[in-house]
Every structure is written in C-alpha cells, then in structure tokens.
Amino acid sequence: MSRNMANSSTFFLLWMLCSVALAIFIQAQQQTGFISIDCGSPENLPYTDDVTNIKYSSDGSYIQTGVNKNISTEYAYPKNPNLPEPLSDLRSFPQGVRNCYGLIAGRKGNLHLIRASFLYGNYDGENNLPEFDLYVGANFWSSVTFRNASEEVVLEIISMAESDVTNVCLVNKGKGTPFISALELRPIYSPIYNAEFGESSSLLLFKRWDIGSIINASGRYQDDVYDRIWSPYDSPSWDSVKTSSEINVNANGYRAPFEVMKNAARPRNNSDSLELSWTPDEPNSKFYVYLYFAELDQLQKTQLRKFTISWNGSPLFEPLVPHYLYATVVSNSKPLVANEHHVSIQKTKDSTLPPILNAVEIYVVREQDTIPTLEQDVDAMVDTKERYGVQRNWVGDPCEPRNYSWEGIRCNYSASLPRQIISLNLSSSGLSGIIAPSIANLSLLESLDLSNNSLTGTVPRFLEELRFLKYLNLQGNKLSGSVTNTLEERSRAGLLTMKVDDQNRCAWGDKKNKKVVVPIVASLSSVLALLVVFILIWKFMRTNNSDEEMSKPINGVRTVASRNWQYTYVEVLEITENFKTVIGKGGFGTVYIGKTKNGNQVAVKVFSPSSSSQGPKEFQTEAELLMTVHHKNLVSFIGYCDDDNKMALIYEYMANGNLKDSLSVRNSQNLSWERRIQIAIDAAEGLDYLHHGCKPPIIHRDVKSANILLNEDLEAKIADFGLSRVFRNEKQNVEVSAVPQNDNKNTESAVMGTTGYLDPEYYKLRNLNEKSDIYSFGIVLLELITGQPAVLKGEQRMHILDWLRPELKSKDLSRVLDPRLQGQYDENAAWKALVIAISCTASSSIQRPTMSVVLSELKQCLKVELPSPSDTIVVPRNVYSELYSSSEAYSMDSESITYPFPR
Ligand SMILES: *[C@@H]1O[C@H](CO)[C@@H](O)[C@H](O)[C@H]1NC(C)=O
Ligand SMILES: *[C@@H]1O[C@H](CO)[C@@H](O)[C@H](O)[C@H]1NC(C)=O
Ligand SMILES: *[C@@H]1O[C@H](CO)[C@@H](O)[C@H](O)[C@H]1NC(C)=O
Ligand SMILES: *[C@@H]1O[C@H](CO)[C@@H](O)[C@H](O)[C@H]1NC(C)=O
Ligand SMILES: *[C@@H]1O[C@H](CO)[C@@H](O)[C@H](O)[C@H]1NC(C)=O
Ligand SMILES: *[C@@H]1O[C@H](CO)[C@@H](O)[C@H](O)[C@H]1NC(C)=O
Ligand SMILES: *[C@@H]1O[C@H](CO)[C@@H](O)[C@H](O)[C@H]1NC(C)=O
Ligand SMILES: *[C@@H]1O[C@H](CO)[C@@H](O)[C@H](O)[C@H]1NC(C)=O
C-alpha cells in the first residue's frame, strides 16, 4: 500500500471521488494538507499541541507584516488552565489597512475548511475590545467582535480556493487594531458541503452538534479528517444510545469521527419526535443542514426504525431507515430560509422504534459576489512586486475589496468581468533593473507610470502589446533604445500620451522623416488598420514562437509561414466540385468533401448566411486567429472563404468520420478498449490545449462525440472548436425545452451546446467556463465506455447518467461496459475510466477535474497493471435530468448514494 501511496500524486487525491483511498491515506498520514498556524508564536518553533496532537507552526512563512504579542497574564495559563495553547499569543496589525496571510493550499477550485480563532486577552494592556473585518481572498467573511477580553471567538468557513494561494485578510475598519490568534486550514477532498454552491458562495459554520454526547466540552478528534470541532448538545427529553462497535463512517465523504457517531439521541417517550430549532442571526439567511444517522442497535426481525424528517412542517426528505453501524448523511438540496427553523424527526406509523440522531451541522450561505482580479493580472503584479521588491502593502487580491485595492493601481470594476488593472503607477519607487516583462500581461492597462526610477535596459517592444495604453511615462530612467514605431504612431495619432526621455524617441519619427510619415498617418482609420495588422501579426508570431507543437506544418498542405489562407468563393466551388458530395451536416452548416489543387483531400464547411451574427470583418478576424491554433489533436484549418457574405472554413479531411458514428449500433467497426481510451486521451489532449495552451483560452462549448473526428489511423481530433467565437449568438444547437428562471446577472444570454452534453450548471447559471467542456467530455467518455449514446432513445428518452446510476448498483461491470467489447478490457482500468468520467460529470463545476488532470488519469488507464481500485464511486445527482422532471421541493442529496466497488 505504501508504494501505492507514494505513486499517487496529491492532485490525484484532490479530485478522485473514492473516499476509501482517502481513508487509508489519511490514516497513514494524519494532518495531510493541514495548515495550522499559531499566530504570534516565536519564530521557528513548530510544536505539537498536547490536547489535539496538531502540529502548529509560527506565522513566518505566511505573512510578512504585523507584530507578535502575548496575551496578558491574567488571561493566560496558569490563571486560565483550559486555555488552548495557540490562543496564548497573537499577531496584531497596527500598520496598514489590510494584512493578509497567504496559505498555499492546493489548487484553484479546491474546497477548504478555514478556521480563524481570536482571543483578545488584553494583549495591548489597553482593555479596549477591537472590531475588525475578516476576508477570504476578495470576499467578505465576517466581522470580528468581542463581548469580553476572555471570549474565544472561533469562526469557520468552507470555501473554494480561487487560486493556488488562499488569502485570509484582516481589515482595519478604524475601530481598533486587528489581530489573530490562530489560523487553520483543512482541505476537503470529497465533494461534500456543496449543495447548490460553487464559485459563487461559501458556507459559514452556524452550529455543529454532537448529539447524545455524554462529554461536556467540545470535542476534536484525530480520526476526523477535517478536524471539525463538535459541541455537545442534549435535551432533557432525550435519552442517549451508544455503541462501542466500529461504525463505517467512510461510505460518505462527510466522515464524522467515531466518537461523534457512536452516541445518538432518541426521544425519552417512544412516540415523541426529536426536535431541533434555531433562529437565524440575520433574516433571509440561507441554511444548509447536514444530519448524521447511524443505527447503533442490532434490530430484531420484528423491529423497524424508520422516520420522517420535516422542516417547519413540510417534509424535507423521504422516510429514512438508518443502517446498522453505517453512517448516512442527509442534507437539504435547496437552502432553507425562514425567521425560525424547526426540524422535526418523527417515527413513521409502521416504525416500532423511536427516531435517532447522531450529529448535526448547520451552515449559512455566504454569497461571494466579489469578482476577484484576473489571475493573469495577479500573477503579473506579484511578479512585478517580487522583481522590484516593491515596498508597499501589496498583499491579497490587488483590486478587491474595492476600497482597499493595492496602492498605486486602479482597476476596472465593470459589472461582470473579472477585475483587471487599468492603471499602474510605480513612479519614484526606487525601481532598478529592466522593465518587468510581466507588465505585458496586464492586458487592459491604460496608464503606466514608471517615471523617476533607475530602470535600465532597452525600452521593451512588448509595450506595444498593451492595446489600450493611453498614457505612458518612462521619463527619468536610464533606458536605452527607443520606443517602437507603433507607439510613436499611436502617440502622433493622439491615441497615446507618451512621455519618454529624448534618447528613447524613435528615430523613424524624427523631423527629417516626417514627410514619409505624414501620408501614413493622414487619417486615423489607416492608423487603426495598421494597428490591427500589427496586432494580428504579433499574435500570430507569438503563438508561433511560444509552442513548437503549434507551428508544425499541417500535413504538408500549407505551412503556417505562408499566410495565404483566404480562398475565393470560386476556389471553394472548384475544391468541392460545385458542392458535389455532402459528408456531414452540423449546427453551423453543411460539410462537403473537396480536393485542393495539390491533390489533398479536405472538408469544407459552408455556412448558411444567416448563421453568423457578425459582419464579414469579424468573421475574417476570428478565422485568422483560429488559423493560428494548431495541435495534433485539433482538426487543422487549411483556409477560409469570406467572399461576398459567403463563408466557409476549410479543414483537413478525417477519413474515419466522427466518433458518434463509430460508436453507433449500426456501425460494425468495433473499437477495442485500448483504442477507445486512446481516443479519449487524444480528445483530452486537444481540449487541454484549447483550455490551457491558447491565449485567450478557448472554450469549445459543444464537445460531443459527433465533434470528435477520426483519421485513417483512428487518431482522434477535435472539430468545430472556436466556432462559438465566430458565431456568438448561435442558438440552433440547443434543443432544451424548459427555460429556467435566471436572475444571475453575470451571465450571457444564449446557451450553446447539445442536448445530453450540456453542462447543467452552465445551463442554470449561464456562467461559462472550461468546466462546461469537462462535463461534456465526461459524457463522451461514458459513451466510449458504455457504447450508449448521451441520450438513450427507448420508449422514453433517458440521459446516459440516469441510465448508468441504477446499472452501477449491481456492481457488475459487464452491465455497464459496452457489450461489443466482449469483456476484452482490464477491469481496474475500466473502473478507473468510469470514475474519471463520472467525476467529470459532477453537477457542480468546481468538483470536476481540469483537463490536465483528466489527461494524466486517462493515461494511467492504458498502463497494464493498475492498482486495485478503491471502494466507492459516487454518481453525482444529474441536475440535467431534473430539468425535465418536476422535481420535488426537497430531495435526497446525492452524496448519500454510494456504489461499492467489487474487490
Ligand atoms: C511570549 O511569551 C514567550 C514565553 O512564554 C516568549 O518566549 C515570547 O518571547 C513572548 N513573546 C512576546 C512577543 O513577548
Ligand atoms: C465572556 O463572554 C463569554 C461569551 O458571552 C461568556 O461565556 C463568558 O462567561 C464571559 N466571561 C467573562 C469573564 O465575563
Ligand atoms: C459535566 O458538567 C457537570 C457540571 O457542569 C459535571 O458535574 C460533570 O461531572 C461533567 N461531566 C463530565 C463527563 O465532565
Ligand atoms: C408518551 O407520549 C404520549 C403522547 O404524547 C402520551 O400519551 C404518553 O403518556 C407518554 N408516555 C410516557 C411514558 O410519558
Ligand atoms: C467603499 O467606500 C465607499 C465610500 O467611501 C462606500 O460607499 C462603499 O460602501 C465602500 N465599499 C465597500 C465595499 O466597502
Ligand atoms: C472597463 O471595461 C469595460 C469592458 O472592457 C469597458 O467598457 C469600460 O470602459 C472599462 N472601464 C474603465 C473605467 O476603463
Ligand atoms: C503617479 O504617482 C505620482 C505620485 O506618487 C503622481 O505625481 C503622478 O501624477 C502619478 N501618475 C499618474 C499617471 O497618475
Ligand atoms: C504571462 O501570462 C502567461 C499565461 O497567462 C504566462 O505563461 C507568462 O509567464 C506570463 N508572462 C510573464 C512575463 O509573466
């Protein structure tokens, strides 16, 4: 097993839904991924807390600002013998408005439990309770207030990482100096605590109760992989039940510790119900409740424990029968909102035993309406800061929270877009060295002031990449070389205010040459035209240089260097022999086979005039940009036609057609298991390139088996990528009947995609991102594995996920795998592929892996000897199918349904 563990990377664990693999991992290596900071403790003094056994470290590597303090002796040990050790000291922040801890905790999209603890303890001798605000990243978490100096304020939030670094920031509101005593982060690997929320909200802990517990104090247990703090909760009308037998808590991702699960409460009077009530701190708070059940008594044949759970009088779940020594968690799938909350657990009529309850967690939704700064801009700023050692309080998100943005920058706060930096002023900041290349990545920069520093080196060419630059000040530096012609032109055309030292002026723009220049810049429009050309050439050259793979000539048909991509309509007619042979029809147009002059077979996609919402200019621009996108797993562009509103794209010809046809029942050609996995890998490579190799990233939006083409060697390539860029308002591909309500403002109007492949979250929230492609890819992968189409056509149309769910219950692989494979596959690899596919189709996009992760996992499926798979697979609730059925007000959460793997 240990060899196994060493091989499996952390990333693998982050997204694998197999909780048992996780269990073993964590037992072997407690506190994996834990960050436990005893704020204010002396440097380099990691220690293990006697009570919790948790290893705490000092702040040093997480924050540079603040001062260490000890609480005053009257609140400290030994006067306060129960004081947790981390709370005896703290870090306070007399300087700066915002101070942040940077926690490096996995990747963007990971779920974290973050806990911040505060004990004032009159550390400053002023006996004055401060009040300040706490943020996670750019998002408001909570205000921190105290009732007295000895109060331990502990705040917990479950939140999704917005980047590799999670910033926890304290903001001074002018009501006293912020401080913090302890900061802890626990990674949550399983897709839990997730009802409804994704990138748009976090969960604040409201209550976490260990029901029926016999101990008085809050408990924290070593077998709790999330290190939660459980408070005892009891009622005089309850009795305790307990067991000392082992309980299976691993079947669901919540994994409450044994100490918590082993006790339960039941009503003293058998016919009573168990009642829980709470009042929200703020009206309109949205609550999620997680109820933990495990049967602790071995029941006789004649006995039955069955109960209903209702909230404010309406049923919350279907009647439940807890399993013997087996933990089940149920949670509401829609948030609960009311002035008072009453949860009642009542035995059903046929139940011979009273209800039980083992534990409860209650969370409040904290909307994350702040849009963080674009990662590329953050990276560029961090790089700039580090390169120059900028002595400013540049921590956390540069643009958010809005009133506390970094000094010297201004951001664009337009409604729905990520924040981007539009102005950077580093004037008189003692900078030396060259102008930081990362500045070129601040793509919306309008104003750049680097004046009065000691910058050296040449004036970089990349400044002209900043298309929106209106103000540039480089005066008072020691730069050599001159600004580029492009910048001079923009300056002369009045588009740019440029202040540079004389030696940096462009020779081309000297007075002597002015005559030459005048005709060129005579009209503004010609300058703009030139600009467009420059940008195009630059983009083209850059894509060309940055990735070798991209610039490979296409099959000898045409090298990238020859820019003769444009074909006339007459040429298209010649190539297709007057549109002789149709080889396909898609949402965007009809595809014909053709032959170029040099004898290469091509596919020509001809668009109906109505299908483009854009003018010819845009089509041309987009087409030219797409021509620069090259990858061995993307169907190559050969050219385009844009002649008198007749538009066509010419692609390389793919001899074996599309994957959908290859997989269809009619098709006799049988794809082997290895070939199927190889096709999945090919397609994943193509998508990974679109997502991570292209700038800006390209989201395909219509990944489906019909858009994956196979060449004569059955190598797969992605087709139709980038078309969504060309045809932005295209609607005809969508066949979805019901239109859900949608109040989300950060959305776009037209949903693109194909029934069966359409990401339910994108459909609901309309916030498009690469994870929508991941969902669709997951469906394609399921098609490859099962041989079933995305939508099964029988008496009733059925989504592949809905078909899969009951089939998996049988634990019989042969029921789900394509019968045409005739058992010719490695079982472990097949399970693994299934897990990958299912994780891709998680209903919440944050739980889906990225294409790179999918890719590396798929590659393992090709290896012969896979380790024996883990025990559980969780099929996500398919929100998509809910679009069709009139779902009940509240339904069982999917997480409780698990399917054991065979050994
Ligand atoms: C806090 O107390 C510890 C020992 O109890 C001491 O080592 C440390 O220097 C003190 N820190 C400050 C900031 O006074
Ligand atoms: C401080 O406040 C907490 C919470 O209200 C309370 O439990 C505690 O008794 C108070 N302590 C003192 C010394 O007043
Ligand atoms: C719980 O607290 C009560 C008084 O508050 C005390 O009598 C009892 O011994 C405590 N029980 C335990 C297990 O600590
Ligand atoms: C239990 O509750 C029922 C109904 O509330 C009541 O009739 C019965 O007397 C109670 N039994 C006991 C033992 O208290
Ligand atoms: C920012 O400050 C302005 C006025 O200074 C205030 O109206 C606004 O609410 C503040 N915004 C935030 C997010 O604090
Ligand atoms: C912010 O960006 C939007 C869209 O790019 C643009 O329309 C707007 O003018 C920008 N605002 C500022 C202040 O630059
Ligand atoms: C940059 O900041 C300096 C002072 O810090 C100021 O004099 C200058 O005008 C600013 N530049 C711009 C473009 O606002
Ligand atoms: C600019 O951003 C790209 C990706 O967003 C990154 O690969 C590159 O390193 C950045 N360039 C600099 C100079 O920071």
Side-chain angles (χ1 to χ4, degrees):
M1 179 45 68
S2 65
R3 178 180 54 94
N4 231 344
M5 267 10 283
N7 287 347
S8 57
S9 67
T10 318
F11 294 154
F12 171 70
L13 282 164
L14 294 185
W15 68 274
M16 275 294 279
L17 304 176
C18 313
S19 19
V20 167
L22 207 59
I24 297 158
F25 185 74
I26 285 182
Q27 270 157 21
Q29 216 177 328
Q30 268 287 358
Q31 305 181 22
T32 302
F34 280 25
I35 296 177
S36 311
I37 308 168
D38 176 356
C39 308
S41 73
E43 275 302 316
N44 304 324
L45 243 188
Y47 67 90
T48 301
D49 186 88
D50 294 341
V51 182
T52 57
N53 256 325
I54 288 176
K55 277 197 207 86
Y56 284 94
S57 56
S58 54
D59 330 50
S61 54
Y62 304 97
I63 195 163
Q64 273 76 50
T65 51
V67 286
N68 288 354
K69 297 281 183 180
N70 286 333
I71 61 170
S72 72
T73 48
E74 72 181 285
Y75 298 97
Y77 189 87
K79 282 199 174 151
N80 178 1
N82 294 327
L83 182 75
E85 192 169 348
L87 302 189
S88 63
D89 45 25
L90 55 89
R91 197 160 179 108
S92 85
F93 301 95
Q95 307 266 306
V97 175
R98 182 166 61 140
N99 288 276
C100 303
Y101 281 81
L103 310 177
I104 298 172
R107 286 178 142 192
K108 178 179 172 161
N110 288 358
L111 211 53
H112 299 316
L113 182 155
I114 305 172
R115 178 159 51 223
S117 311
F118 308 85
L119 176 84
Y120 171 62
N122 195 23
Y123 74 89
D124 52 3
E126 294 188 358
N127 256 322
N128 201 354
L129 298 168
E131 186 185 331
F132 49 90
D133 282 347
L134 199 59
Y135 283 77
V136 181
N139 289 292
F140 179 69
W141 172 354
S142 177
S143 283
V144 184
T145 58
F146 301 90
R147 278 174 284 204
N148 58 48
S150 57
E151 189 187 10
E152 292 171 17
V153 173
V154 179
L155 299 170
E156 249 184 52
I157 194 167
I158 292 179
S159 130
M160 199 194 71
E162 284 174 347
S163 66
D164 296 355
V165 180
T166 296
N167 284 296
V168 175
C169 304
L170 297 101
V171 168
N172 190 329
K173 296 198 285 189
K175 295 181 177 175
T177 305
F179 74 88
I180 184 166
S181 308
L183 181 60
E184 296 163 309
L185 180 146
R186 311 293 180 234
I188 297 180
Y189 294 111
S190 296
I192 51 173
Y193 296 121
N194 68 321
E196 185 204 38
F197 77 89
E199 291 177 357
S200 57
S201 49
S202 308
L203 293 181
L204 292 186
L205 180 65
F206 185 73
K207 297 286 178 207
R208 185 182 290 128
W209 286 325
D210 179 0
I211 306 283
S213 168
I214 41 151
I215 49 171
N216 288 352
S218 290
R220 216 167 148 171
Y221 306 97
Q222 285 187 45
D223 62 334
D224 188 342
V225 290
Y226 309 129
D227 184 32
R228 288 159 288 195
I229 299 176
W230 301 84
S231 316
Y233 185 86
D234 205 0
S235 154
S237 57
W238 294 352
D239 271 341
S240 252
V241 240
K242 65 164 185 277
T243 186
S244 49
S245 309
E246 202 179 321
I247 298 175
N248 180 353
V249 297
N250 297 330
N252 60 67
Y254 292 92
R255 305 162 51 86
F258 172 69
E259 282 296 326
V260 170
M261 290 307 292
K262 73 167 192 189
N263 297 296
R266 65 174 179 82
R268 192 154 284 171
N269 181 337
N270 268 11
S271 53
D272 280 354
S273 55
L274 287 169
E275 302 281 344
L276 291 173
S277 303
W278 70 92
T279 312
D281 295 336
E282 292 163 22
N284 300 324
S285 293
K286 297 176 176 174
F287 283 92
Y288 281 98
V289 182
Y290 300 86
L291 299 165
Y292 292 72
F293 301 100
E295 179 60 76
L296 306 180
D297 296 326
Q298 184 142 33
L299 304 190
Q300 308 296 319
K301 280 247 164 62
T302 54
Q303 289 180 309
L304 173 67
R305 193 189 311 277
K306 189 174 179 185
F307 44 81
T308 59
I309 304 161
S310 61
W311 167 77
N312 288 2
S314 46
L316 205 48
F317 310 105
E318 288 155 28
L320 193 115
V321 177
H323 299 297
Y324 182 51
L325 301 180
Y326 186 95
T328 307
V329 181
V330 294
S331 162
N332 49 308
S333 54
K334 297 192 176 137
L336 307 176
V337 183
N339 293 331
E340 293 283 331
H341 297 259
H342 300 283
V343 169
S344 176
I345 308 176
Q346 173 107 47
K347 81 182 192 68
T348 58
K349 286 219 177 73
D350 54 341
S351 175
T352 61
L353 296 168
I356 53 163
L357 175 63
N358 304 58
V360 178
E361 289 184 87
I362 306 172
Y363 288 87
V364 186
V365 175
R366 170 76 75 210
E367 306 289 351
Q368 297 196 333
D369 35 19
T370 312
I371 307 169
T373 307
L374 191 74
E375 234 174 298
Q376 181 180 315
D377 283 38
V378 178
D379 292 346
M381 289 306 296
V382 168
D383 182 83
T384 306
K385 175 191 169 188
E386 284 168 1
R387 172 182 292 266
Y388 296 125
V390 175
Q391 294 299 311
R392 290 184 190 174
N393 195 23
W394 279 9
V395 281
D397 190 280
C399 297
E400 292 282 357
R402 197 160 173 161
N403 290 354
Y404 310 111
S405 72
W406 289 7
E407 187 194 338
I409 67 166
R410 277 189 302 119
C411 304
N412 183 329
Y413 293 100
S414 82
S416 59
L417 298 167
R419 303 300 172 228
Q420 282 199 264
I421 290 150
I422 54 173
S423 166
L424 172 60
N425 188 348
L426 280 170
S427 156
S428 311
S429 301
L431 315 184
S432 58
I434 60 164
I435 294 182
S438 44
I439 289 175
N441 270 358
L442 299 171
S443 58
L444 285 195
L445 206 60
E446 294 172 7
S447 165
L448 176 62
D449 191 343
L450 297 174
S451 59
N452 301 320
N453 288 297
S454 312
L455 294 168
T456 51
T458 54
V459 178
R461 286 195 71 86
F462 64 70
L463 291 173
E464 71 184 40
E465 292 170 22
L466 300 167
R467 294 192 285 157
F468 299 102
L469 204 62
K470 297 193 187 86
Y471 179 91
L472 174 66
N473 192 345
L474 301 177
Q475 270 172 340
N477 284 293
K478 299 170 196 150
L479 296 163
S480 60
S482 55
V483 294
T484 60
N485 296 340
T486 320
L487 288 176
E488 285 285 1
E489 277 159 26
R490 281 159 69 178
S491 162
R492 254 193 300 274
L495 298 171
L496 173 69
T497 306
M498 193 164 65
K499 295 186 174 173
V500 293
D501 294 329
D502 284 343
Q503 78 266 19
N504 301 132
R505 296 229 72 108
C506 178
W508 195 54
D510 276 356
K511 282 197 179 93
K512 278 181 258 168
N513 294 333
K514 217 160 197 173
K515 272 178 208 144
V516 184
V517 175
V518 168
I520 297 175
V521 297
S523 82
L524 195 69
S525 61
S526 63
V527 172
L528 283 175
L530 237 156
L531 243 176
V532 170
V533 171
F534 267 114
I535 289 162
L536 271 174
I537 291 177
W538 167 75
K539 279 205 160 152
F540 166 57
M541 290 195 328
R542 207 173 46 150
T543 8
N544 213 356
N545 294 340
S546 57
D547 191 336
E548 298 227 328
E549 193 143 52
M550 292 166 59
S551 56
K552 268 188 204 151
I554 313 150
N555 241 351
V557 176
R558 186 188 297 275
T559 62
V560 177
S562 80
R563 291 201 5 130
N564 188 14
W565 286 325
Q566 202 163 2
Y567 289 75
T568 64
Y569 190 61
V570 173
E571 282 175 303
V572 169
L573 287 175
E574 281 170 14
I575 289 172
T576 60
E577 292 183 68
N578 293 328
F579 303 127
K580 193 170 151 203
T581 317
V582 177
I583 51 170
K585 264 201 165 80
F588 295 109
T590 309
V591 190
Y592 302 89
I593 197 165
K595 202 172 243 180
T596 55
K597 282 202 183 93
N598 48 16
N600 286 308
Q601 274 197 317
V602 291
V604 181
K605 186 162 239 178
V606 179
F607 299 91
S608 46
S610 61
S611 62
S612 172
S613 57
Q614 300 184 337
K617 265 271 141 50
E618 283 89 337
F619 176 81
Q620 189 168 331
T621 312
E622 291 293 345
E624 300 242 345
L625 274 179
L626 286 177
M627 300 291 152
T628 67
V629 175
H630 290 291
H631 187 272
K632 68 177 170 41
N633 297 114
L634 298 177
V635 175
S636 299
F637 279 103
I638 286 165
Y640 68 92
C641 163
D642 181 18
D643 203 354
D644 192 22
N645 214 17
K646 296 192 181 69
M647 289 173 287
L649 290 171
I650 304 169
Y651 298 89
E652 70 174 303
Y653 176 69
M654 299 289 284
N656 268 314
N658 71 46
L659 177 62
K660 187 180 182 189
D661 291 341
S662 292
L663 283 174
S664 78
V665 190
R666 280 166 284 135
N667 199 307
S668 56
Q669 181 179 33
N670 215 339
L671 298 170
S672 72
W673 171 256
E674 287 74 23
R675 176 45 60 192
R676 290 177 197 223
I677 294 301
Q678 190 55 53
I679 287 172
I681 290 173
D682 288 348
E685 298 246 23
L687 285 172
D688 184 43
Y689 177 74
L690 288 176
H691 290 172
H692 303 122
C694 293
K695 212 177 135 188
I698 295 177
I699 299 170
H700 190 297
R701 290 181 167 206
D702 200 14
V703 175
K704 54 182 175 184
S705 50
N707 272 339
I708 294 170
L709 306 186
L710 305 173
N711 68 9
E712 63 272 13
D713 299 326
L714 290 175
E715 287 164 356
K717 301 191 185 199
I718 305 270
D720 272 8
F721 58 91
L723 288 195
S724 60
R725 292 166 55 93
V726 186
F727 301 100
R728 255 173 218 128
N729 296 323
E730 185 59 49
K731 276 185 193 132
Q732 63 197 75
N733 259 15
V734 180
E735 302 164 21
V736 181
S737 51
V739 176
Q741 292 164 323
N742 180 20
D743 313 319
N744 197 333
K745 291 182 195 76
N746 310 341
T747 55
E748 31 183 297
S749 50
V751 174
M752 294 203 38
T754 301
T755 305
Y757 298 89
L758 188 60
D759 169 13
E761 188 180 281
Y762 163 49
Y763 182 77
K764 275 190 172 168
L765 304 177
R766 309 276 163 107
N767 55 344
L768 182 74
N769 59 48
E770 57 165 72
K771 293 296 183 69
S772 300
D773 282 355
I774 307 283
Y775 180 90
S776 314
F777 178 81
I779 301 294
V780 172
L781 189 50
L782 285 177
E783 289 182 84
L784 276 165
I785 297 167
T786 65
Q788 302 289 348
V791 178
L792 280 70
K793 299 203 171 80
E795 277 171 37
Q796 237 181 337
R797 284 155 64 91
M798 189 194 238
H799 191 255
I800 191 166
L801 281 176
D802 291 336
W803 166 81
L804 185 67
R805 186 196 296 257
E807 292 294 327
L808 271 184
K809 271 188 184 148
S810 70
K811 309 171 205 171
D812 181 0
L813 205 51
S814 67
R815 288 180 67 103
V816 272
L817 271 275
D818 190 341
R820 285 172 292 182
L821 290 169
Q822 298 177 324
Q824 299 290 310
Y825 48 80
D826 177 85
E827 288 222 356
N828 293 340
W831 277 115
K832 188 174 178 85
L834 261 177
V835 170
I836 297 167
I838 285 165
S839 70
C840 288
T841 56
S843 50
S844 165
S845 63
I846 54 157
Q847 291 155 15
R848 298 175 203 150
T850 62
M851 231 348 128
S852 342
V853 175
V854 171
L855 192 52
S856 69
E857 290 298 319
L858 276 174
K859 283 178 177 166
Q860 292 187 21
C861 290
L862 271 190
K863 300 212 177 102
V864 199
E865 272 195 338
L866 270 184
S868 193
S870 351
D871 271 16
T872 29
I873 178 171
V874 182
V875 179
R877 185 165 38 121
N878 183 11
V879 183
Y880 186 80
S881 55
E882 282 176 14
L883 293 176
Y884 292 104
S885 62
S886 59
S887 51
E888 286 171 39
Y890 305 102
S891 58
M892 285 279 275
D893 195 52
S894 67
E895 264 62 71
S896 56
I897 309 167
T898 61
Y899 302 99
F901 271 83
R903 273 281 173 199

